Each structure stands twice: as structure tokens, then as C-alpha cells.
Amino acid sequence: MVICLFLTDANAIQTQPWHILLVDDSADERNIIRRMLVRGSPRRYEFTEVATGAAATEKIREPQVNAFACVLLDYELPDMTAEDVLADLHNAGAVPPCPVLVVTGLDDGVAARSLRAGAQDHIGKAWATPESLTRAVENAIERYALLIEHRAIKEAVRVERERLNLALTSGQMGVYDLNLMTGTYWWSPELYAVYGLHIDKFTPSMASVRALIYPDDQAELWRLVEDCIAQHKPFLHEFRVLHGDGTLHWVASSGQTEYDGAGRAVRRFGVVMDVTARKTADLELRRAVAAAEQANQAKSDFLASM
């Protein structure tokens, strides 16, 4: 028999009874399980009972006002095994909607197969006691909660990574991370494009990156970087870089430094963005303003001479 438990709010669990789905074709076996759970702890329970795997999956997927805290599932059912039930539940989602505990009188590899199929635990009818069954149910619920939390964290990380990749790609922006103790660089794939480089043909290092900076901008850039590190300030500067095809591009670099317990700079990281289009537009605007001012001055000089 498989027991499926659905973990709800922690405070609610302390005040509300656990709703247990008992799945076994034997009414006597279901009665034994009920009695052991009631005797095993002072916790209050509500029970729903079904005799087949098909009825179990239907009940588990059915919207419940008081959702199942756990499912206790017999391994051998008239229409399917516990593995079939778990496979059916997994087909509907990455994990079952509640934890499942397989209860069986069989010993030949059932435990391993049940766990591989997605059960949270397995307990044998021959050696189950009220205390051991209660612990198994509580452990199944706890492991299920950790599994759901872990999957939620992984999904959040995946979404944030996709958002970051979209921002980097659409914004012509790349990320770097420099270990100041070893001089080891890490670049995101987008950063190679910002510098006009191919990821397979360039190895970032302190020397190779320095060589990319336009010579006239190097002295000011490194002075600013050193000042920011010494003053524990964020770094923000715009400078020119030479692409592999010889063209000159403007980039804006923003970063900060990490320090160890002794106050030594150990890491610098940040983002670099291609701002050539903005710089070009600014230059054209300044030229237009200068031309307008020059024309206006010429007009004023002409009227004055008249």
C-alpha cells in the first residue's frame, strides 16, 4: 500500500489533521494502517480509502479542500503495482502532487524499485509498528517538502539565468570575474563579442586584456582602477578598445572589488557594455551644436558689420 502525503503550511499542520489517502484492496489492511497511525502519535488524522490504483490517481489529482498530506500505497493492487501508480503520477508532472509511501508484504527488490519510481519511502507490513509507521510518514512528508523547495530554487535560478542571458545579449553586455590573487579571468560568452573576439581564439589574462585597451586610454584607466580598489569604491569608466578587425569601439565598464579579512583586494568583477552607438551619437550632437553656434556667431558678426 502507498501512502501519499501533501505538505501544507507548517502552522496549519500543527492545528489541522493530516489527510491520509489509504490505497489497499484489503479493508482489513487499511484498518490496520489506520489503527497504527492513530496509536503512533497524538496527531489527528483524516482518512480517505480506495482499493485500486486507478481510483488512487483519480483521488490524488482531484481538487481537494483539505489536500492529502501523504499517500500510503500498497505495492500489489488489483489493477496495477505501486510503480505503475507512481509512473502515472510522474507523467502528470515533475513530481507527484504529494509524498507517497509504499507499504508491502513483499521483500524482493520492492523497496529499491519503489524509491526509483519516486516513492518517498518504503515500509514492510511484517515489521511495521505504530511508531515506525508514524516516523516513516513524517519523514516522507519532510523529504517531500525539501524536494519541492529544492525544485523551486532550481527553477528560480533557471529563470534568473535566462533573464540575465537575455539582458546581456540584447544589451551588448558581458560579465567578467578576475581573481586578483592568481590573475585568472572568467568571461561570459557575451563579453568576447563586446571586445570583437572569438571565444575559441582568445584567452583572457591580465596582459592580454590590457593589450585590448586603446593605448591613449590605458594610463587613465589603470589609475582609476587602482584608485577605486584602494578606496574600496565601485568602478565606473568609459574607454576605447581595439577590435580584431582594427576598428575602434567605446565600452563602459562597471564593477566592484571583493576584499579578504585583512582588507586585501582578492577579486574584481563587473559588466562591460558596448556604448559605441551612444558615443557616436553624442559626438555628432556636439558637432551639430558647435556648427549651429558657429553659424549663429557668423550671422551675428555679419549683422554687426552692417
Side-chain angles (χ1 to χ4, degrees):
M1 178 173 83
V2 175
I3 300 176
C4 176
L5 301 175
F6 183 76
L7 188 63
T8 57
D9 180 73
N11 293 326
I13 285 180
Q14 298 301 321
T15 59
Q16 296 180 0
W18 272 352
H19 190 186
I20 307 296
L21 176 62
L22 300 180
V23 187
D24 198 309
D25 58 320
S26 169
D28 291 338
E29 293 288 350
R30 297 198 301 268
N31 186 46
I32 292 172
I33 293 294
R34 265 201 325 273
R35 289 173 178 270
M36 284 200 295
L37 282 176
V38 171
R39 290 169 53 194
S41 77
R43 185 180 298 277
R44 294 183 299 126
Y45 296 96
E46 291 180 4
F47 297 97
T48 295
E49 302 180 24
V50 295
T52 65
T57 56
E58 182 179 351
K59 281 291 183 183
I60 293 169
R61 292 171 180 163
E62 189 177 279
Q64 300 276 345
V65 175
N66 181 16
F68 294 120
C70 182
V71 174
L72 290 172
L73 181 64
D74 186 27
Y75 187 82
E76 289 284 354
L77 296 167
D79 56 341
M80 60 180 74
T81 67
E83 293 172 64
D84 298 326
V85 174
L86 287 163
D88 195 3
L89 294 176
H90 276 281
N91 286 336
V95 294
C98 59
V100 175
L101 176 65
V102 174
V103 183
T104 181
L106 304 174
D107 295 324
D108 187 19
V110 168
R113 293 199 302 273
S114 298
L115 294 175
R116 284 197 299 269
Q120 294 303 311
D121 205 348
H122 165 275
I123 190 166
K125 293 180 180 180
W127 50 266
T129 64
E131 293 75 18
S132 65
L133 180 58
T134 299
R135 283 197 303 272
V137 168
E138 292 174 346
N139 290 340
I141 294 175
E142 182 178 351
R143 281 194 296 272
Y144 182 81
L146 293 174
L147 174 64
I148 295 301
E149 181 181 4
H150 177 66
R151 287 182 177 271
I153 292 172
K154 286 182 64 177
E155 177 63 14
V157 170
R158 183 191 66 80
V159 171
E160 287 303 316
R161 184 181 293 115
E162 288 184 352
R163 289 173 178 170
L164 176 59
N165 289 338
L166 178 61
L168 294 177
T169 303
S170 61
Q172 293 185 301
M173 182 188 304
V175 179
Y176 72 90
D177 195 325
L178 171 61
N179 185 322
L180 294 172
M181 306 302 290
T182 64
T184 305
Y185 259 108
W186 174 86
W187 278 17
S188 72
E190 296 81 9
L191 190 53
Y192 291 86
V194 171
Y195 281 101
L197 300 167
H198 195 283
I199 192 170
D200 295 328
K201 298 181 180 179
F202 181 80
T203 301
S205 66
M206 297 186 74
S208 63
V209 172
R210 182 183 294 268
L212 299 174
I213 311 302
Y214 188 61
D216 291 351
D217 294 352
Q218 289 194 18
E220 180 184 3
L221 173 63
W222 301 124
R223 178 189 60 78
L224 179 61
V225 170
E226 291 173 0
D227 288 347
C228 289
I229 292 176
Q231 298 172 28
H232 290 219
K233 292 168 52 179
F235 168 77
L236 176 60
H237 192 53
E238 295 181 352
F239 52 92
R240 291 168 290 180
V241 297
L242 286 169
H243 277 203
D245 59 5
T247 58
L248 200 61
H249 289 251
W250 279 93
V251 298
S253 179
S254 174
Q256 53 187 328
T257 306
E258 184 179 288
Y259 304 85
D260 63 12
R264 295 174 299 182
V266 295
R267 176 173 168 242
R268 194 172 79 242
F269 55 95
V271 297
V272 181
M273 176 187 293
D274 190 310
V275 294
T276 304
R278 176 174 63 78
K279 280 290 188 177
T280 301
D282 289 346
L283 179 60
E284 291 177 352
L285 178 61
R286 286 197 297 270
R287 287 174 177 172
V289 170
E293 290 177 347
Q294 185 176 4
N296 188 57
Q297 184 61 45
K299 179 180 178 181
S300 298
D301 292 345
F302 173 74
L303 291 175
S305 67
M306 292 296 291

